Amino acid sequence: MSSGTCHGVELVNGDVLEASSVVCNVSAWDLPKLLPTSVSSQTWCRERAAMPATKSFMHLHVGFDARSLELKQLQPHYICLEDWTRGVEAEENAVLISIPSVEDPSLAPEDCGVLHAYTPATEPWERWKDLDRRSAEYKALKEQRAEFLWKQLERIIPDLRQRSKVHMIGTPLTHQRFLNRHQGSYGPRIKAGEAEFPGASTPIAGLVLCGDSCFPGIGVPAVAGSGLLAAHATGLETLPAQLKELQRLFS
């Protein structure tokens, strides 16, 4: 990067890949780490990095014995809500559940099933940030915080714990480690009507942004739309039919 223009990227091994444009999909919080100080200290970059983050998740994956259990009577998806008046953003109130082996038994061994339950971005990062994931304290907290997930699952399969053959618990630290997510978050917390996601363009010529830190926002459909907008910002005129449809939807 020179004279306010982005010419390519430098890899961790020192190799340099030159390009007329660079499309970057890292989060707003990670972007400054990849830029020279002269750029990361600029107002536009600092404002992006100051965007508030959503909370994180608790996850529970279970492989279970499905014998004597009529899978066809189960639904592939559930939303369990303890109290409608508290809303889905309240802590320990909502759980989303997916049981894909209901639709496709081949996803699990014979006579078995698989499911995934998670809280919808309601788990505070602050509860976990100072823990060592190898510590006994961390392991105990995992089990404690997964208890709410187990209880919601038992509304659907009452003897699930007895049926469980394997279970894995995911925490905000899991999100941070394996998904490289700032604070294990789902993405920026931008409330409609109060603020807007920034667009794809930047003051740096040749540097275009996409991903869930850009307009239209977080979630797969929105991120796909941001990729379309980034392609448009680079001057790419020939777009596949699917991208043209996304462009129509987000225009």
Side-chain angles (χ1 to χ4, degrees), residues 16-150:
V16 175
L17 303 179
E18 296 185 354
S20 58
S21 296
V22 173
V23 178
C24 180
N25 73 334
V26 302
S27 75
W29 307 288
D30 295 309
L31 180 63
K33 304 172 187 176
L34 303 180
L35 299 174
T37 304
S38 59
V39 176
S40 63
S41 61
Q42 294 178 9
T43 300
W44 70 273
C45 195
R46 287 189 287 107
E47 287 180 346
R48 286 179 182 252
M51 288 194 293
T54 63
K55 294 180 181 180
S56 190
F57 302 81
M58 287 300 302
H59 291 272
L60 179 58
H61 296 267
V62 184
F64 59 93
D65 186 338
R67 287 177 295 181
S68 75
L69 185 66
E70 187 56 62
L71 286 178
K72 293 182 179 179
Q73 294 180 359
L74 296 175
Q75 299 296 320
H77 298 287
Y78 293 87
I79 297 178
C80 294
L81 197 61
E82 287 276 278
D83 184 349
W84 279 98
T85 63
R86 294 178 62 204
V88 295
E89 293 187 358
E91 190 175 335
E92 290 200 340
N93 193 44
V95 171
L96 281 69
I97 299 169
S98 174
I99 315 178
S101 53
V102 169
E103 294 289 331
D104 184 357
S106 69
L107 295 175
E110 187 177 357
D111 295 327
C112 293
V114 292
L115 61 79
H116 171 218
Y118 67 96
T119 56
T122 58
E123 185 68 14
W125 166 252
E126 290 72 21
R127 178 176 285 134
W128 302 84
K129 65 178 183 178
D130 296 322
L131 293 179
D132 182 341
R133 60 182 176 79
R134 294 160 295 188
S135 68
E137 182 184 5
Y138 173 66
K139 294 176 182 177
L141 186 59
K142 283 175 65 175
E143 297 295 335
Q144 175 190 329
R145 297 301 297 161
E147 184 64 21
F148 178 68
L149 296 172
W150 279 114

